[in-house]
Amino acid sequence: MTANRLTDCIVLLALSLCGTAPLSAAESVDYLKQIKPLLRTKCQSCHGALKQNSSFRVDTAEFLRQGGDSGPGFEPGKADDSLLLGVLTGDAGFKMPPEGAGKPLTPDELALFRQWINAGAPTPENEVPEQDPRQFWSYQTPVKPAVPKVKNNAWVRNEIDAFLAAEHEQHNLVPRPPAAPAVLLRRLYLDLTGLPPTTAELEAYLADPSEEAYGKTVDKLLASPRYGERWGRHWMDVWRYSDWYGSRGINEIRYSQRHIWRWRDWIVESVNADKPYDRMIVEMLAGDELEPDNPDVVRATGFLGRNWYKFDRNVWMFDTVEHTSVAFLGLTMKCARCHDHKYDPLDQVEYYRFRAFFEPHNVRTDALSGTVDKEKDATLGMVLKDGLARVFDKELEQPTYLFQRGDDRQPDKEHPLTPAVPVNLTKEPVTIKPVKLPLASYYPALRPEILQEKVQQAEQEIKSAEAALHKSDTTIQQVEQQLADLQQGSATETDARPAIINERFQQPNPELWQTVSGKWEYIDGCLRQTNTGAFRTMVSQIDLPLNFQGGCVTKPWNRARFIRSVSSLMPSTSVMPRPFTPRSVTTNRPCRPSTAQ
């Protein structure tokens, strides 16, 4: 903000606080304090040095009097006949400022203009028009100036010193004497690394009185990793670095990107590597197209990924435009989101054409390993625990529209905009050419190193599976052999052993059998179950060995109506050394005994 603008703001603030009381005829109107601030705030954005609608300019009283396409602005002493007052009041058939472009003048403010014109429109002599913003130094191509010649050549050690010495001479200043070696070394360390020298480093420096000692120390500090950490912090502030944030408690990301620390490391490493500044800019804005196969370059696009905002794509794009222009152009563009910029040579259309460069892009996280695990984000679902946060062009045909008054609910869809740099920031139009990207940039899992890692992982899994299969086969063979041995041995033992139970079921035997369920009756020398249903059970009172053979002969007493089933069950806790198959025989002959051996 210039001194003139600050003065105008103070005057307007005083007017708003104190009111603008009508002046008496005897009182004069101060043009600089009462008229010019109103012209600047109400009219100058459309009728100033930057823009002159209807060829009308109001930044000096002379321009105001001359008027524009509609005729002279006013004639001193004749306020009521002036075009200026007619436009301000609406008597001319139209009113300024136009509706929606600003608040109209109040009656007291109109009275100031009327009295000032009727008083002859007194103004200071030699009023200077405001400079055309297009001519500001910040919009001019830098030109290397000639190194000035100075009298104090003994003090000059480099070209920068020559410019300082020239300013000394112009202002009759005498340079300070050199700092003491210890003080100079401390300043150097703090400037380059942010850390003071150690006692040993100080003593070593003081012990070397040569002219080369200072230069050697500079080279040593520039080669130190601490140098990049110190000055990387400065650039991280300029480029707005921050870790991701949102709701850590539920692992929900809302701003920035996970794993964006790789961009932070890129900044530090680039500074330490003395990477050219223009190359750093290109890598941050287009590393995904510059070297799409190189993760060390693609990670630089974290600059754009940092602006990601979960809830609103347009907020994300607004931040991208603003912070790109601030970081690399030194220009705040956000005013032009809603209207033409009032002070800088930037209109609203140029703002959205600049946005069009970024319209297609999106962000994603690429895996850097074929074995990376995932974790759950509260709303995004399963995400990579580690990876490369980067940008890519997702919607190449995504149109860009101007938002009327900056409202994203009112896009001007009749006039889609193409990418362009503001005209006052470039000497030549920008040419956009398509870039052919490798397949792996679309499908990062196809990158050779990841494919190789997946192949190695699969081969290892195959080896593990084969080893497990071989082990299982060996175990099965061993068990089958043990089972065969056990069966052979059991058969021999069974043939030699007497029967454990030999029961004909001719009469009750409670010491041998316990009735659990059902209606069991001994009739005519046979055991009968007359209550049909499931689980009619009698159990043996004798503990049987784990390996035995058993048989039972049964007869259905009414074959036409009932289906019978006889089975032998082993306790669930039993461990049988070999399979046991009970034998059940159905016959019409009289009951036979049940035998277990």
Side-chain angles (χ1 to χ4, degrees):
M1 182 178 290
T2 64
N4 288 339
R5 291 179 186 171
L6 180 61
T7 302
D8 295 342
C9 291
I10 294 174
V11 171
L12 288 174
L13 178 62
L15 290 174
S16 63
L17 292 177
C18 302
T20 310
L23 300 175
S24 65
E27 292 179 291
S28 62
V29 178
D30 189 321
Y31 167 76
L32 293 179
K33 293 182 178 180
Q34 295 173 287
I35 299 298
K36 193 163 187 175
L38 290 174
L39 292 170
R40 178 175 286 120
T41 57
K42 301 286 188 179
C43 313
Q44 202 161 306
S45 61
C46 296
H47 303 281
L50 185 60
K51 184 189 300 184
Q52 301 89 38
N53 290 355
S54 300
S55 303
F56 188 30
R57 190 167 174 175
V58 300
D59 51 317
T60 69
E62 180 59 24
F63 286 146
L64 190 64
R65 185 192 63 78
Q66 291 175 3
D69 296 341
S70 299
F74 66 88
E75 183 178 345
K78 298 180 179 180
D80 292 334
D81 297 334
S82 68
L83 174 65
L84 174 62
L85 205 61
V87 167
L88 294 178
T89 59
D91 293 341
F94 59 96
K95 192 173 184 179
M96 292 290 170
E99 184 178 356
K103 294 182 179 180
L105 273 68
T106 66
D108 290 343
E109 292 168 341
L110 291 172
L112 289 174
F113 276 92
R114 179 176 285 105
Q115 187 162 345
W116 174 66
I117 295 173
N118 286 334
T123 57
E125 296 182 1
N126 302 321
E127 184 183 10
V128 178
E130 290 200 355
Q131 181 184 3
D132 186 342
R134 289 177 287 258
Q135 302 304 316
F136 288 168
W137 66 267
S138 55
Y139 292 103
Q140 308 309 310
T141 303
V143 178
K144 186 176 181 179
V147 178
K149 296 181 179 180
V150 296
K151 300 176 182 178
N152 192 7
N153 284 320
W155 185 81
V156 175
R157 291 177 294 180
N158 52 54
E159 293 181 348
I160 296 177
D161 285 350
F163 286 95
L164 294 175
E167 292 296 315
H168 290 163
E169 293 175 5
Q170 182 177 350
H171 296 88
N172 297 318
L173 298 175
V174 177
R176 297 274 297 170
V183 175
L184 183 62
L185 185 70
R186 181 177 177 83
R187 291 175 181 173
L188 180 62
Y189 267 77
L190 292 176
D191 185 44
L192 295 184
T193 68
L195 302 170
T198 64
T199 301
E201 289 168 335
L202 176 60
E203 291 175 349
Y205 180 76
L206 296 178
D208 185 359
S210 66
E211 293 290 334
E212 294 79 17
Y214 184 80
K216 290 179 180 178
T217 304
V218 171
D219 292 339
K220 181 185 77 171
L221 295 180
L222 290 177
S224 168
R226 307 291 85 77
Y227 169 71
E229 294 168 2
R230 157 77 170 90
W231 283 99
R233 289 178 58 194
H234 165 76
W235 290 112
M236 280 188 268
D237 289 341
V238 173
W239 296 330
R240 216 169 66 105
Y241 172 83
S242 77
D243 288 338
W244 77 270
Y245 54 109
S247 179
R248 295 269 178 171
I250 58 174
N251 199 30
E252 179 192 20
I253 182 173
R254 299 175 182 174
Y255 308 88
S256 190
Q257 286 293 295
R258 299 181 193 272
H259 325 303
I260 202 171
W261 57 267
R262 286 192 165 85
W263 172 44
R264 175 202 65 198
D265 288 0
W266 174 88
I267 295 174
V268 173
E269 293 168 14
S270 297
V271 173
N272 275 329
D274 199 22
K275 184 178 292 185
Y277 179 69
D278 57 347
R279 172 72 183 195
M280 294 176 72
I281 294 177
V282 173
E283 289 186 7
M284 283 189 282
L285 294 178
D288 58 311
E289 297 179 356
L290 187 67
E291 295 189 40
D293 292 328
N294 188 349
D296 285 340
V297 172
V298 175
R299 60 181 172 158
T301 62
F303 168 78
L304 294 174
R306 160 65 182 87
N307 298 305
W308 182 84
Y309 178 57
K310 173 182 176 179
F311 301 109
D312 194 323
R313 167 76 176 181
N314 283 309
V315 171
W316 168 12
M317 295 300 294
F318 293 155
D319 283 348
T320 298
V321 171
E322 176 64 11
H323 295 293
T324 299
S325 64
V326 168
F328 304 131
L329 303 176
L331 175 67
T332 58
M333 298 180 70
K334 59 185 176 183
C335 291
R337 189 179 88 193
C338 303
H339 53 74
D340 294 348
H341 208 292
K342 291 186 176 182
Y343 303 111
D344 287 312
L346 178 70
D347 62 38
Q348 191 181 16
V349 171
E350 288 180 315
Y351 173 91
Y352 285 95
R353 296 193 71 182
F354 189 75
R355 166 178 167 153
F357 283 110
F358 307 101
E359 202 74 62
H361 93 287
N362 211 308
V363 295
R364 73 179 190 223
T365 300
D366 288 353
L368 295 176
S369 168
T371 59
V372 64
D373 293 331
K374 292 186 176 182
E375 60 182 342
K376 183 175 178 59
D377 180 282
T379 54
L380 298 180
M382 300 306 295
V383 297
L384 295 175
K385 272 192 173 182
D386 189 20
L388 173 65
R390 48 83 55 87
V391 303
F392 69 105
D393 282 341
K394 182 179 180 181
E395 304 289 346
L396 292 177
E397 304 302 324
Q398 182 68 27
T400 297
Y401 303 116
L402 183 148
F403 295 158
Q404 298 175 27
R405 299 187 182 180
D407 188 348
D408 56 13
R409 296 168 298 180
Q410 301 183 45
D412 181 7
K413 293 188 175 182
E414 294 183 0
H415 304 92
L417 300 173
T418 56
V421 176
V423 295
N424 290 290
L425 297 177
T426 181
K427 300 300 182 183
E428 299 178 359
V430 175
T431 301
I432 299 177
K433 299 179 180 179
V435 176
K436 186 176 182 179
L437 300 176
L439 185 62
S441 66
Y442 299 94
Y443 305 100
L446 296 179
R447 287 174 42 214
E449 61 271 23
I450 293 185
L451 286 177
Q452 183 179 3
E453 186 174 352
K454 285 186 173 292
V455 169
Q456 292 174 347
Q457 180 186 8
E459 290 175 345
Q460 183 60 44
E461 291 176 354
I462 291 173
K463 290 180 180 179
S464 300
E466 289 175 343
L469 180 60
H470 177 72
K471 183 178 179 181
S472 298
D473 289 341
T474 302
T475 302
I476 290 173
Q477 293 174 3
Q478 293 173 349
V479 171
E480 287 178 342
Q481 183 61 47
Q482 293 174 0
L483 181 59
D485 294 343
L486 186 59
Q487 288 175 336
Q488 182 178 1
S490 299
T492 303
E493 294 175 1
T494 301
D495 294 340
R497 288 199 303 261
I500 301 173
I501 299 176
N502 190 349
E503 175 65 80
R504 291 181 176 275
F505 298 106
Q506 293 178 342
Q507 58 186 3
N509 190 354
E511 294 182 357
L512 182 59
W513 302 102
Q514 177 186 357
T515 299
V516 175
S517 61
K519 186 177 181 181
W520 297 93
E521 297 178 323
Y522 290 88
I523 302 174
D524 298 333
C526 291
L527 177 62
R528 294 184 180 183
Q529 172 59 248
T530 59
N531 184 9
T532 59
F535 296 101
R536 301 299 182 253
T537 308
M538 290 179 65
V539 299
S540 169
Q541 298 280 61
I542 299 175
D543 291 333
L544 299 176
L546 297 180
N547 182 31
F548 69 91
Q549 292 181 345
C552 180
V553 179
T554 64
K555 176 183 178 182
W557 62 274
N558 189 342
R559 184 186 301 273
R561 292 183 56 192
F562 299 102
I563 299 175
R564 64 94 187 96
S565 173
V566 178
S567 64
S568 298
L569 301 179
M570 299 297 295
S572 60
T573 56
S574 298
V575 178
M576 299 182 63
R578 67 184 178 89
F580 165 69
T581 304
R583 293 181 296 165
S584 178
V585 180
T586 301
T587 179
N588 291 326
R589 297 193 297 271
C591 295
R592 285 179 150 183
S594 174
T595 305
Q597 293 181 334

